Amino acid sequence: MSVSPNAALVALNRFGFGAKPGDDLGRIAADPRGYVKAELKQQDIALIFPDDPKNAGLLDSTAAIQASMAAAMERKAARDEKAAPTMRTMAADDPASPVETKAKPAVPRVEADIYRGEAQARFDKALAATPGFVERLVGFWSNHFCVSAAKAPVVRACAGAFEREAIRPFVLGRFADMLLAVEHHPAMLFFLDNQQSIGPDSRAGKKRGRGLNENLAREILELHTLGVGSGYAQADVTSFAGMLTGWTMAGREGRLGEPGTFVFNANAHQPGKAMLLGKTYPDGGMGQAEAALNDIARHPATARHIAAKLARHFIADDPPPAAVARLAAVFTKTDGDLRSIALTLIDMPEAWSTPLAKLRSPFDYVVALRRAVGSTAGNEPQRSLRWLRALGEPLWQPPGPNGFADQTDAWASAEGLKTRLDIAWQAAKQADDIGDPNEMLASLIGASVSAETRQAISRAESRQQGLALLLMAPEFQRR
């Protein structure tokens, strides 16, 4: 079921995370585009600052990776000690008998603590946003350039820092700058196994007899930039993989640099010129792949690929071709200026006339739900993280390098909707102070509410039931 467009609801749901109690829907409807654009004028709106007292404890990626490395060493030492031959219990009448030592407590999973802290900062930012368009853009780009915390403890430790360092600073900047930041980041290099890629003709390749790993090169071309069917061939993937050799993360021993940092290992880099998409790139060490990335960022296929994904995310699963073409033209004309593209999205008539038919993703739904219900005491962010796992979108843990699905069919299964109903009921039971659901309906949805939704909530047997029904209403679920 789609929801008829209403200016305030489009501004809040299509572009943001939904209304909060007390929002003036009439004022928003009077200038909906201006309401959304206002966020783009705020300086550093996308950034999360670790020196803010509420973000105390957040680590940069280097510190997070080093903490994970140290914990891994401690866990290994504990396992080795546990695996050592155990000694017999000392006999009471034989003081010379060997003594059984007490087992040491398990080494804490510091990665889990870092992950929870980053998750809390992410949720806090989304819950406080008005209306949340920039945070929605952060989520879009973080999913586009995704890494998975399930890959290894070291990625779990730095997934949040990766988003803060490689995504957020560039959300309203240039696409090429974000692309370079992402592909240089240790989280991405580790996630896509580039530390395992060695130029066959490099000094290290000749010595070790090892070769290329094409994962990073393939995903950059297929997912991050040009897109499937854009004309590149397997030869381009192989050549690009050679150009990217040497891009790696310094290991625990620190032989190449400070552990956990990006380094260029010249000994592993494939020497010589390389060809990509018909253009020859001279031998230039790390700069060879950087030059290629800058060219790919400006490729017409990249403009079309990014435009289609943005239109699919913010307008419709099957976006209007004219909207995609307009976004691609702005991408090309402005050299990938993402602020200009965001403004174009807001000004598009299709964004305001297309019915609200897309189902909110699990993250968007959980944030919208928490904004609607208000603060709940304790058990955060664990509660929200549990809900996301139950809904199939665990934070920073997509099923593959292509990220989470961005179409309604992926989330609209009978089981998925039943889980949403369970979560809506949990949220209603845990709410600190439930107001009149009919008044909340007017505050959160306004004039867009259907007669069916209004009637169902008015007939609720309790305020909790009324709130749960509101949180499951099509007008609340759709964007």
Side-chain angles (χ1 to χ4, degrees), residues 148-388:
S148 176
K151 171 76 174 185
V154 70
V155 182
R156 187 174 185 81
C158 69
F162 165 74
E163 183 178 278
R164 287 189 290 111
E165 296 165 355
I167 303 293
R168 289 183 176 276
F170 309 100
V171 160
L172 298 177
R174 289 175 66 250
F175 174 78
D177 293 336
M178 185 189 294
L179 178 65
L180 285 164
V182 162
E183 311 306 351
H184 279 93
H185 201 280
M188 183 63 72
L189 296 171
F190 192 95
F191 174 56
L192 291 178
D193 305 311
N194 210 59
Q195 75 279 8
Q196 299 176 17
S197 189
I198 297 176
D201 301 319
S202 68
R203 191 176 307 172
K206 291 177 179 178
K207 183 177 180 181
R208 302 181 195 176
R210 290 172 57 187
L212 300 176
N213 183 302
E214 298 181 350
N215 287 356
L216 179 63
R218 179 175 293 105
E219 306 309 357
I220 289 175
L221 298 177
E222 179 179 321
L223 301 176
H224 297 175
T225 57
L226 306 175
V228 178
S230 55
Y232 67 86
Q234 175 57 39
D236 292 307
V237 175
T238 302
S239 180
F240 192 28
M243 298 165 74
L244 287 163
T245 50
W247 290 41
T248 190
M249 179 184 80
R252 187 182 64 249
E253 300 82 7
R255 286 195 294 265
L256 297 174
E258 184 181 1
T261 61
F262 168 84
V263 291
F264 177 70
N265 182 7
N267 287 336
H269 180 66
Q270 176 69 6
K273 63 183 180 181
M275 181 172 284
L276 180 65
L277 302 173
K279 178 175 179 177
T280 299
Y281 293 84
D283 192 356
M286 182 172 67
Q288 187 182 53
E290 289 179 332
L293 284 168
N294 275 300
D295 286 343
I296 296 168
R298 296 180 172 89
H299 197 284
T302 298
R304 291 191 295 270
H305 180 54
I306 299 303
K309 287 194 69 172
L310 280 166
R312 184 176 301 115
H313 182 80
F314 283 101
I315 299 177
D317 284 349
D318 187 15
V324 175
R326 203 147 57 246
L327 286 169
V330 173
F331 188 102
T332 300
K333 181 180 179 180
T334 64
D335 193 23
D337 180 70
L338 300 182
R339 183 187 297 272
S340 296
I341 293 165
L343 288 168
T344 302
L345 261 173
I346 297 169
D347 283 332
M348 278 188 170
E350 294 92 338
W352 302 89
S353 62
T354 303
L356 297 171
K358 284 183 70 75
L359 191 67
R360 277 179 162 145
S361 70
F363 183 85
D364 293 355
Y365 177 60
V366 167
V367 171
L369 179 151
R370 289 188 56 194
R371 284 161 67 98
V373 170
S375 63
T376 52
N379 201 24
E380 290 296 351
Q382 290 91 329
R383 178 187 293 126
S384 295
L385 290 172
R386 282 199 304 272
W387 286 347
L388 288 177

